[in-house]
């Protein structure tokens, strides 16, 4: 298990999956394939042109808290529009156990946003029902995403760049995600919707960074004079550090997503924050420095 110490905090990386996901030029439209050749072997396969990524969860131990940041894809899901996630079975709970974490030890769950690959292990199947995986945790859910993805609020989606009403298969999958991964947390009384900024523990602050989804957010961590920022899907690949105006194909409001990315990266460069995205393969996290038009990573080193 990979881990780093940051001040008095510990960050543990739990990788649900890592590998080749899709053609790179499809993941970040608007970016020439030549830009990917500079991404490095951890992030781009020059043989078949595929994007290399990861599905991972970050566990933070700080100030007596055990915080899970994003909960991956989950097991046994109906995701027919996303074959890689459909009926997937993984070793997530075993990996958590190997890191010394039992579900009942987790007191805080953060979903940076409510896409399928960030909320899956919010719940697990128990006696034929979906129940919260972490029975003692408060789940911090962005209120804007709760409103947007609630199946009862379809008509509110029309303002997005990629109008989901035009893609019934995707809308149906969002409804399914809400039903199996969000609604059980709401009905268990464990959800804490939030907006604006919210302090959720010592040195732990949630902040909105919308665009990828309406409620997309980052979690800032500070401990012992060190800082990190968990940025969710603000970035899918380090090519977006060099080209920070370029969005992933999953970003719903492109102008807003690019503005949020630039704002968070400039702050990370100014404050020396370790940037921790959800889907970077390879070293997974980096400090960033300005390089004229973009940013360059200084990759972090993990201990095992
Ligand atoms: Zn994602």
């Amino acid at each position: 298990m990979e881990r780093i110490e940051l001040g008095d905090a510990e960050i543990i990386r739990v990788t649900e999956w890592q590998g080749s996901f899709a053609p790179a030029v499809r993941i970040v439209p608007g970016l020439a394939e030549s830009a990917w050749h500079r991404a490095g072997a951890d992030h781009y396969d020059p043989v078949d042109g595929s994007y290399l990524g990861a599905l991972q969860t970050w566990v933070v131990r700080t100030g007596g808290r055990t915080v899970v940041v994003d909960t991956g894809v989950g097991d046994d899901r109906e995701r027919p529009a996303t074959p890689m996630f459909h009926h997937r079975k993984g070793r997530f709970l075993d990996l958590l156990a190997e890191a010394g974490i039992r579900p009942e030890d987790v007191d805080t769950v953060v979903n940076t946003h409510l896409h399928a690959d960030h909320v899956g292990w919010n719940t697990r199947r128990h006696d034929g029902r979906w129940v919260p995986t972490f029975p003692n945790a408060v789940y911090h859910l962005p209120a804007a995403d709760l409103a947007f993805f609630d199946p009862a609020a379809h008509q509110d989606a029309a303002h997005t760049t990629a109008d989901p009403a035009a893609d019934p298969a995707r809308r149906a999958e969002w409804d399914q995600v809400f039903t199996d991964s969000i609604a059980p947390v709401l009905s268990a009384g464990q959800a804490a919707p939030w907006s604006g900024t919210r302090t959720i523990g010592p040195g732990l602050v949630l902040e909105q960074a919308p665009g990828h989804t309406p409620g997309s957010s980052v979690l800032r961590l500070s401990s012992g004079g060190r800082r990190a920022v968990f940025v969710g899907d603000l970035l899918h690949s380090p090519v977006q550090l060099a080209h920070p105006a370029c969005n992933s194909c999953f970003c719903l409001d492109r102008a807003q997503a690019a503005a949020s990315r630039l704002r968070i990266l400039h702050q990370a460069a100014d404050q020396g924050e370790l940037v921790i995205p959800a889907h970077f393969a390879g070293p997974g996290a980096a400090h960033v420095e300005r390089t004229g038009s973009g940013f360059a990573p200084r990759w972090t080193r993990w201990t095992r």
Side-chain angles (χ1 to χ4, degrees), residues 55 113 115 117-118 212 232-233 236 250 278-279:
L55 297 166
H113 62 291
H115 273 159
D117 54 321
H118 296 257
H212 179 69
D233 283 4
H236 273 76
F250 309 109
H279 297 306

Side-chain angles (χ1 to χ4, degrees), residues 70-101:
D70 286 332
T71 64
V73 171
D75 276 6
D76 304 316
R77 306 297 151 139
E78 288 291 326
R79 303 283 186 262
T82 312
M84 197 180 128
F85 301 169
H86 191 49
H87 292 176
R88 183 188 148 71
K89 273 197 186 293
R91 296 186 61 246
F92 181 81
L93 293 179
D94 294 337
L95 293 172
L96 269 189
E98 287 168 20
I101 298 153

Side-chain angles (χ1 to χ4, degrees), residues 244-264:
C246 290
N247 293 307
S248 79
C249 61
F250 309 109
C251 292
L252 293 176
D253 185 323
R254 287 164 195 155
Q256 198 181 42
S260 286
R261 185 177 310 106
L262 275 166
R263 179 174 67 80
I264 298 296

Side-chain angles (χ1 to χ4, degrees), residues 274-295:
L274 179 63
V275 176
I276 309 179
H279 297 306
F280 276 19
H287 287 89
V288 296
E289 294 163 5
R290 286 194 190 83
T291 59
S293 59
F295 299 85

Side-chain angles (χ1 to χ4, degrees), residues 106-118:
V106 174
D107 47 61
T108 308
V109 173
V110 168
N111 298 136
T112 58
H113 62 291
L114 301 188
H115 273 159
D117 54 321
H118 296 257

